[in-house]
Amino acid sequence: MRITELEKEYRDDILDILSNSDERVQGIFLKYSDEVRFINENAVGRGVSTGRGIRLNWKKDKTNIRGKYTTTFHEMGHCIDRAAGGLSYRTPYLKEALENDFQSLVNEFMKEYNVSQKEAYNMIGDALQEDKYHSISDIVGGLTENACIGKYGHSVSYWKEVDNAIEAEAFAHFYEAFARNDVEKIEALSQMFPTAEKEFMNLLERG
């Protein structure tokens, strides 16, 4: 099902949220909206996006503790990334920006608190325990194969075995935050990954 074919409650919610998002987020959605399809709206377990479409549970996602429809927009980000031919990893720039931003933060921690890299990782991970930092926790986990991670993340095997996982997950996390115009998440992502945020926006314009 396309978004326009969804049950009215969810269709109206999703389109209303999108209408208040950044025009670049709206633009890339409109460009690839036919590729954003839903194959199961009452799924058990975590949401997932495959080549066939998105499976999730809208009733649960509407009251998601990480933000209303967080999973929906995250998986939509994956669909758009895939439809655009691997937009997040067609060039190395998003991953490089993520790595450089994170390393800059680690270096600041090491200098400011006179600690080792491992200790800096632990301090950063401890600061990422709140639900609102779920995106950052996951991205940082990917960059370090979970040596540094907060409350949320994928398994080490996922980061090791899935090609371009870091770029794809980061793109989906950024897309979710900006599509939902979640000011708190956007601010946190901007502070943690300033150059990666700029590259994400560049990707939307190039997509």
Side-chain angles (χ1 to χ4, degrees):
M1 293 181 291
R2 296 183 178 89
I3 287 179
T4 54
E5 300 170 315
L6 298 180
E7 186 176 330
K8 185 178 185 303
E9 174 187 358
Y10 304 117
R11 179 194 69 208
D12 290 352
D13 280 351
I14 292 168
L15 293 178
D16 181 61
I17 291 170
L18 269 173
S19 72
N20 293 301
S21 65
D22 185 285
E23 62 181 13
R24 290 163 291 187
V25 172
Q26 294 185 46
I28 201 165
F29 165 73
L30 290 172
K31 184 174 183 178
Y32 296 106
S33 59
D34 284 348
E35 305 300 321
V36 179
R37 294 175 178 269
F38 297 85
I39 56 176
N40 189 335
E41 69 273 22
N42 298 298
V44 176
R46 66 189 300 174
V48 65
S49 170
T50 67
R52 293 181 57 232
I54 299 169
R55 59 180 299 277
L56 48 70
N57 188 304
W58 275 304
K59 185 176 181 180
K60 290 184 178 180
D61 201 29
K62 187 169 183 175
T63 58
N64 194 323
I65 61 174
R66 296 171 297 169
K68 186 176 181 180
Y69 294 113
T70 284
T71 301
T72 298
F73 284 98
H74 181 89
E75 300 306 333
M76 285 170 61
H78 279 309
C79 281
I80 290 168
D81 186 13
R82 190 181 301 114
L87 184 60
S88 66
Y89 53 84
R90 279 207 311 249
T91 68
Y93 305 129
L94 179 59
K95 186 175 183 181
E96 288 177 356
L98 291 165
E99 292 172 337
N100 291 337
D101 286 340
F102 178 66
Q103 191 57 54
S104 293
L105 179 68
V106 172
N107 291 343
E108 288 177 15
F109 265 75
M110 292 170 66
K111 182 178 180 180
E112 178 70 20
Y113 300 104
N114 192 28
V115 296
S116 66
Q117 177 176 285
K118 182 178 180 180
E119 290 170 320
Y121 279 10
N122 290 337
M123 293 172 71
I124 294 168
D126 288 343
L128 298 176
Q129 295 299 317
E130 294 183 54
D131 295 323
K132 64 182 178 181
Y133 298 133
H134 71 97
S135 299
I136 295 174
S137 175
D138 189 38
I139 295 170
V140 166
L143 292 169
T144 64
E145 292 184 354
N146 291 353
C148 178
I149 192 170
K151 181 179 178 181
Y152 292 90
H154 287 77
S155 66
V156 174
S157 61
Y158 175 77
W159 297 124
K160 287 184 175 181
E161 296 169 10
V162 177
D163 292 339
N164 312 117
I166 295 170
E167 304 97 300
E169 291 300 334
F171 182 93
H173 282 305
F174 274 103
Y175 189 84
E176 174 264 311
F178 279 94
R180 294 179 51 255
N181 198 23
D182 188 321
V183 175
E184 194 170 36
K185 281 188 187 177
I186 291 171
E187 182 179 2
L189 285 165
S190 299
Q191 290 178 349
M192 189 81 167
F193 300 109
T195 57
E197 180 198 333
K198 292 178 183 177
E199 180 56 26
F200 168 75
M201 287 301 179
N202 288 338
L203 290 176
L204 296 187
E205 293 174 350
R206 293 200 297 263

